[in-house]
């Protein structure tokens, strides 16, 4: 299962790179238009955008760090959250400056670049991170699966909300999902490698 996760992370990274190289030449133009036509104006979906606003992601990230510190004394876990939520935000801002893609014409006065979507990327990062630590305390595989499905489903819906509200193109959102998932998998790989090394060191 872990090998599949790592493989999907590599695929997501390749996907992000591919989108980054092709969005400017109009490759995603028709897909972006169709997605906008399909989703624009769906009020219930548009509202979900608030769940990945910077303040929400920051508060949830701090709550996870406090929980891992007070309840589990998991300092590597605290760094895990910092790398996904905190460093993820910095990475997103850096990528926006690199690609400098303008938002759709009717973007509600937003003056930042749109590629990759922070809401899509941030939702993947904080929701999957929360799910990762939550499933560790669940014994039932069914419950674990439901948590992962809920986190993934909500992250997808939050990303689509940016298209529904006209703030970003679908390709911005797709790139955000890919970048967020690739970073999440990379941090997960580091964390689990460190956990295994720590356990081996204390069993010798």
């Amino acid at each position: 299962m872990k090998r599949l996760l790592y493989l999907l992370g590599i695929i997501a990274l390749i996907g992000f790179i591919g989108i980054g190289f092709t969005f400017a030449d109009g490759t995603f133009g028709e897909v972006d238009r169709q997605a906008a036509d399909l989703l624009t104006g769906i009020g219930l979906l548009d509202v979900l955008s608030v769940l990945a606003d910077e303040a929400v992601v920051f508060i949830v990230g701090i709550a996870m760090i406090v929980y891992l510190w007070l309840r589990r004394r998991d300092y590597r876990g605290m760094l895990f959250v910092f790398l996904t939520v905190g460093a993820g935000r910095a990475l997103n801002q850096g990528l926006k400056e690199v690609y400098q893609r303008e938002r759709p014409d009717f973007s509600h006065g937003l003056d930042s670049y749109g590629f990759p979507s922070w809401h899509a990327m941030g939702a993947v990062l904080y929701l999957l991170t929360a799910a990762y630590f939550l499933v560790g305390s669940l014994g039932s595989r069914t419950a674990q699966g439901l948590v992962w499905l809920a986190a993934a489903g909500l992250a997808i819906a939050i990303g689509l909300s940016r298209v529904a509200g006209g703030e970003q193109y679908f390709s911005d959102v797709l790139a955000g999902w890919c970048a967020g998932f690739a970073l999440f998998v990379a941090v997960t790989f580091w964390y689990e490698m460190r956990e295994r090394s720590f356990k081996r060191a204390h069993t010798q």
Side-chain angles (χ1 to χ4, degrees), residues 24-193:
D25 63 14
T27 299
F28 285 89
E30 184 59 28
V31 173
D32 286 337
R33 283 190 292 273
Q34 290 184 8
D37 289 343
L38 180 64
L39 299 172
T40 298
I42 301 179
L44 181 60
L45 187 60
D46 187 16
V47 169
L48 293 177
S49 180
V50 71
L51 296 180
D53 283 350
E54 286 188 21
V56 174
V57 177
F58 177 78
I59 291 170
V60 174
I62 292 297
M64 285 191 282
I65 289 174
V66 170
Y67 168 78
L68 291 167
W69 175 37
L70 296 179
R71 297 296 298 273
R72 297 174 56 168
R73 292 293 190 266
D74 186 351
Y75 301 109
R76 276 184 294 276
M78 293 165 63
L79 182 56
F80 186 117
V81 177
F82 174 78
L83 290 174
T84 53
V85 176
R89 178 54 176 159
L91 175 61
N92 178 267
Q93 289 295 100
L95 291 171
K96 285 180 184 292
E97 291 300 322
V98 168
Y99 289 100
Q100 297 189 0
R101 187 188 196 186
E102 299 295 336
R103 294 174 181 269
D105 292 336
F106 301 100
S107 57
H108 307 291
L110 296 172
D111 57 2
S112 61
Y113 296 117
F115 183 95
S117 166
W118 163 247
H119 283 71
M121 184 174 175
V124 166
L125 287 169
Y126 93 86
L127 288 168
L128 293 190
T129 297
Y132 180 84
F133 289 106
L134 179 58
V135 298
S137 61
L138 299 176
S140 167
R141 286 186 176 274
T142 300
Q144 292 176 359
L146 289 174
V147 169
W148 282 117
L149 283 174
L154 186 54
I156 290 171
I158 291 171
L160 294 178
S161 74
R162 302 302 285 175
V163 181
E167 292 92 354
Q168 287 169 309
Y169 298 106
F170 178 73
S171 49
D172 296 336
V173 170
L174 184 59
W177 286 331
C178 288
F181 188 72
L183 178 58
F184 171 76
V185 172
V187 176
T188 300
F189 178 78
W190 164 81
Y191 178 78
E192 295 189 350
M193 288 289 289

